């Protein structure tokens, strides 16, 4: 039951990575895999996050000018919070040196990285989605496009901006083929938006 946290964590705080890169290099934002609802041992919802192993992908863009036959060094400080019945902060200083040249895939990581990319949220292709809210709840309507036969299961809406109350369960119902997700709003949410 040890877990770490997503970007909208709930009671914890999300993993952060601070990069030190060679001149001209840039690091993108963390590409967060789809989280799950985190519960304590009593079953109470405590946030949004991950159990077991999780890959947090970051795209590194190199400088436009690199000298061949040299090495570059990528450095980062990672900070996280891991919890079970108690929470423990963690951090690590990481570094890797890589030769400048043609990209070479390490077969050890091909499968795990492909699996990590498959866990990233993707744009909906078979559904039209509408959203509305009142002072108490957010309502999402997922309307299947013609020819869509996939019936998703285990639906949950994760609000990256804290608009919904992460401590409350979503309700999922069907209305003539349309899936309706209802999520209570966070008490502090700006309901005028």
């Amino acid at each position: 039951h040890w877990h770490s946290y997503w970007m909208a964590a709930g009671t914890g705080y999300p993993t952060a990575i601070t990069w030190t890169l060679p001149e001209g290099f840039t690091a993108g934002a963390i590409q967060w895999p789809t989280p799950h609802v985190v519960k304590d041992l009593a079953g109470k919802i405590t946030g949004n996050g991950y159990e077991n192993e999780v890959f947090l992908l970051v795209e590194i863009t190199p400088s436009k000018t690199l000298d061949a036959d040299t090495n570059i060094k990528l450095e980062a400080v990672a900070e996280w919070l891991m919890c079970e019945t108690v929470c423990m902060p963690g951090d690590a200083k990481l570094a890797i040196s890589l030769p400048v040249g043609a990209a070479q895939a390490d077969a050890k990581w091909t499968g795990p990285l492909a699996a990590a990319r498959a866990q990233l949220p993707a744009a909906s292709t078979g559904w039209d989605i509408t959203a509305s809210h009142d002072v108490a709840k957010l309502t999402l309507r997922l309307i299947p496009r013609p020819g869509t036969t996939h019936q998703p299961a285990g639906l949950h809406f994760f609000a990256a901006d804290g608009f919904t109350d992460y401590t409350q369960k979503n309700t999922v119902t069907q209305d003539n083929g349309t899936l309706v997700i209802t999520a209570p709003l966070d008490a502090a949410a700006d309901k005028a938006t």
Side-chain angles (χ1 to χ4, degrees):
H1 292 286
W2 284 95
H3 56 267
S4 62
Y5 290 97
W6 183 57
M7 64 180 160
T11 57
Y13 60 82
T15 299
I17 305 172
T18 304
W19 292 93
T20 302
L21 302 172
E23 187 176 336
F25 280 60
T26 58
I30 293 173
Q31 298 175 37
W32 297 95
T34 302
H36 68 269
V37 173
V38 174
K39 297 179 181 180
D40 65 16
L41 295 177
K44 179 183 172 188
I45 297 173
T46 61
N48 305 309
Y50 313 98
E51 290 182 350
N52 303 316
E53 184 175 60
V54 63
F55 287 80
L56 302 179
L57 304 177
V58 175
E59 184 174 315
I60 305 291
T61 304
S63 170
K64 293 183 188 224
T65 57
L66 293 173
D67 295 328
D69 301 322
T70 60
N71 286 330
I72 53 105
K73 186 174 184 180
L74 307 177
E75 298 177 87
V77 174
E79 299 174 275
W80 62 87
L81 182 66
M82 55 188 174
C83 301
E84 187 192 33
T85 55
V86 297
C87 292
M88 297 173 24
D91 63 81
K93 292 181 179 180
L94 308 164
I96 188 169
S97 291
L98 300 168
V100 173
Q104 297 180 9
D106 184 338
K108 173 183 175 181
W109 296 107
T110 303
L113 290 176
R117 285 185 186 95
Q119 292 175 11
L120 296 175
S124 170
T125 56
W127 301 80
D128 291 317
I129 303 169
T130 64
S132 62
H133 69 85
D134 56 27
V135 296
K137 68 185 180 309
L138 168 74
T139 302
L140 300 170
R141 299 180 77 69
L142 288 70
I143 306 149
R145 293 181 183 157
T148 298
T149 58
H150 173 72
Q151 288 296 311
L155 292 173
H156 183 87
F157 176 70
F158 294 94
D161 61 1
F163 191 64
T164 59
D165 185 347
Y166 72 89
T167 67
Q168 302 298 314
K169 293 181 180 180
N170 289 188
T171 302
V172 180
T173 58
Q174 284 204 18
D175 180 17
N176 291 326
T178 295
L179 295 170
V180 180
I181 302 173
T182 305
L185 297 187
D186 185 273
D190 179 2
K191 293 150 182 90
T193 58

